[in-house]
Amino acid sequence: MTNEYDAIICGGGPAGSSAALSLARHGRSALVLDRARFPRTKLCGGLLTWKSTRLLATHFGLTPDDLIRAGVVNFVSDRFAIHTFSRTLAKGMLPFPFHFADRAGLDALLLDRAAEAGAVIEQATRVTGCDPKTGEVRCADGRRFRGRYVIGADGANSRVRAAIPTVDRERMHRYMAPAIEIALPPEDFPRPVDFPELYVGFLEAGYGWVFPNRDRVVLGICGLRRNKNDFSALFDEFLAFLGVDPGAVTDRKGHLLPYGNYLSNPAFGRTLLAGDAGGFVEPLFGEGIFYALCTGRYAGEAVADGVKTGTDPGPAYAARLGRYVLPELAASDRLRWLLFKGMGLFGPGGLAWFVGALEKPLAEMVHGMRSYRWLKKKEWDFKAGPTAP
Ligand SMILES: Cc1cc2nc3c(=O)[nH]c(=O)nc-3n(C[C@H](O)[C@H](O)[C@H](O)COP(=O)(O)OP(=O)(O)OC[C@H]3O[C@@H](n4cnc5c(N)ncnc54)[C@H](O)[C@@H]3O)c2cc1C
């Protein structure tokens, strides 16, 4: 096995698979290093919006029907509800259904697609550090690899990001939200769940969720806390409100979610960051799968083009993000503070009115058919990058 590649991709989640697929399709050598063995678990509600399903279809060739047939998508719902602990704020129909995916199955399938296209995958290989100047990547087992470029797709606690001196670590830390999630057999939940329910009003910004699934009910909370209150105690309150005995829940798991700390220039030296590693998660609803797929693809295509033309891929990557992704994240961030601060100051009535008055365009905005900027029609760049054959 050689240890020199056009790109070394640290992390084989949606961002890493997407980047690896782009590079392999463009005939570039790509090595994916992941500390886990796939299929591996990933704490996640698995909710896929319209734009996620579009990108999975155009980039990976996987339509919603393919994902259902593969058993990866196991629930589809075209309804939703938003509540506080005391009232229902909105309940309605969606213009396109939410698809609920099992992340272990989805991520394994996407990584297989990258391998079939020609990427080399090394599982159970933990990255311990990298040098942005030389492109050297060090692993816990003592091996070292060298990439012309390194794509950090290694999630919220990225080792690659830790090696980049220009990252504002204070901001990255401040907007890294804790999340707790559990999955219950449907018979252990007090009532049937047929569509996603969101609960707001008990976090500075963020929400609790109850998501349906074929064989389980997924409950979680994620967000920024008022006065740094004990997140586990907040989760207990949420469970008790839903009628679930917190004492009977033994397998609660936590994970960090980037929540408003996206980087506007996620490239330095020979490194580029994609997905959670670059903070690319939508700051209102915490949607990250789409942004991981999208930024992974852009990073892979920028590197493929950079290697072909002998130019630095960083500026091209940043420019494409600046055109299609960052404006959405910035507008969603503004909307989040408007809604959550408004609810804190004036109560939930304003939010109920807002969602009620704009139900259809807001649902289209969440799906990505409309932009978070003034609900304008959103054009995504789902076509292949500049060097596509
Ligand atoms: C509780 C919770 C619920 C969520 N629900 C949703 C949802 O319903 N819908 C949605 O769109 N988003 C959701 N998200 C966000 C979504 O899960 C992430 O944004 C998405 O997984 C990011 O993909 P990624 O590829 O960037 O990172 P990841 O999926 O985290 O993948 C990173 C990969 O890197 C590997 N890795 C990490 N460190 C190293 C290392 N040192 N060396 C080698 N490999 C390493 C990991 O093993 C992993 O495979 C949720 C997040 C949380 C925490």
Side-chain angles (χ1 to χ4, degrees):
M1 181 182 174
T2 171
N3 69 352
E4 302 219 348
Y5 293 84
D6 288 326
I8 297 183
I9 299 154
C10 303
S17 300
S18 191
L21 183 63
S22 296
L23 281 148
R25 284 234 181 94
H26 286 88
R28 296 295 156 202
S29 59
L31 169 69
V32 179
L33 303 171
D34 200 294
R35 65 182 175 194
R37 273 202 188 284
F38 286 69
R40 57 101 176 87
T41 54
K42 164 72 182 86
L43 205 64
C44 184
L47 187 154
L48 301 176
T49 55
W50 171 82
K51 59 186 173 305
S52 318
T53 59
R54 286 287 301 139
L55 195 47
L56 286 166
T58 53
H59 190 37
F60 284 88
L62 291 165
T63 64
D65 282 347
D66 294 332
L67 295 172
I68 291 168
R69 267 194 299 275
V72 164
V73 163
N74 49 43
F75 206 94
V76 179
S77 171
D78 61 3
R79 286 182 293 154
F80 75 97
I82 305 177
H83 309 276
T84 65
F85 282 0
S86 56
R87 62 182 277 197
T88 296
L89 301 181
K91 220 171 183 182
M93 299 291 292
L94 297 161
F96 182 82
F98 287 137
H99 289 72
F100 292 89
D102 164 50
R103 280 297 299 273
L106 177 67
D107 292 13
L109 185 62
L110 301 186
L111 200 55
D112 278 351
R113 286 281 156 125
E116 283 160 17
V120 179
I121 317 289
E122 278 286 296
Q123 305 190 32
T125 304
R126 187 162 63 83
V127 171
T128 53
C130 91
D131 182 340
K133 289 208 182 80
T134 61
E136 184 183 78
V137 174
R138 299 180 294 280
C139 301
D141 58 12
R143 286 185 296 168
R144 286 166 186 249
F145 299 95
R146 192 181 293 269
R148 285 161 91 163
Y149 295 97
V150 176
I151 297 178
D154 46 346
N157 284 318
S158 171
R159 297 300 309 171
V160 179
R161 189 180 67 231
I164 299 183
T166 49
V167 169
D168 178 346
R169 295 185 206 290
E170 197 277 323
R171 177 170 170 269
M172 189 49 80
H173 176 72
R174 183 157 24 113
Y175 294 113
M176 202 54 98
I180 302 180
E181 196 177 72
I182 60 167
L184 293 178
E187 59 276 14
D188 288 357
F189 196 71
R191 56 187 166 78
V193 178
D194 299 327
F195 53 87
E197 303 166 14
L198 302 188
Y199 291 83
V200 295
F202 62 104
L203 288 159
E204 186 187 2
Y207 59 91
W209 62 91
V210 178
F211 283 177
N213 232 276
R214 185 180 43 214
D215 52 4
R216 56 190 192 270
V217 177
V218 177
L219 317 174
I221 62 169
C222 175
L224 305 174
R225 292 161 284 181
R226 291 195 185 104
N227 310 321
K228 298 271 168 231
N229 14 21
D230 178 346
F231 212 65
S232 202
L234 277 180
F235 188 58
D236 284 350
E237 273 173 45
F238 182 53
L239 291 180
F241 166 78
L242 293 170
V244 176
D245 174 9
V249 172
T250 51
D251 66 342
R252 67 183 66 193
K253 293 196 174 65
H255 201 278
L256 290 173
L257 180 76
Y259 200 51
N261 46 10
Y262 51 90
L263 300 173
S264 46
N265 186 7
F268 179 83
R270 294 183 179 274
T271 54
L272 296 86
L273 299 173
D276 280 11
F280 299 118
V281 174
E282 184 270 291
L284 179 59
F285 289 102
E287 180 184 13
I289 300 171
F290 167 76
Y291 290 97
L293 294 168
C294 183
T295 57
R297 178 178 184 171
Y298 287 1
E301 287 173 352
V303 168
D305 205 39
V307 170
K308 185 178 166 193
T309 57
T311 54
D312 179 1
Y317 178 48
R320 204 167 173 197
L321 290 177
R323 180 145 182 223
Y324 294 103
V325 172
L326 296 177
E328 285 305 291
L329 301 182
S332 148
D333 206 359
R334 285 193 295 274
L335 183 60
R336 140 172 125 182
W337 288 118
L338 191 75
L339 295 180
F340 283 109
K341 285 212 188 306
M343 195 161 46
L345 287 171
F346 307 115
L351 179 60
W353 176 86
F354 181 73
V355 179
L358 295 171
E359 181 182 312
K360 185 157 182 270
L362 285 176
E364 290 176 353
M365 175 192 82
V366 171
H367 269 303
M369 296 156 172
R370 287 182 187 276
S371 171
Y372 278 85
R373 294 165 86 195
W374 307 111
L375 296 172
K376 285 188 290 195
K377 283 272 176 210
K378 173 71 183 164
E379 296 298 327
W380 289 101
D381 179 20
F382 290 155
K383 65 183 187 309
T387 55

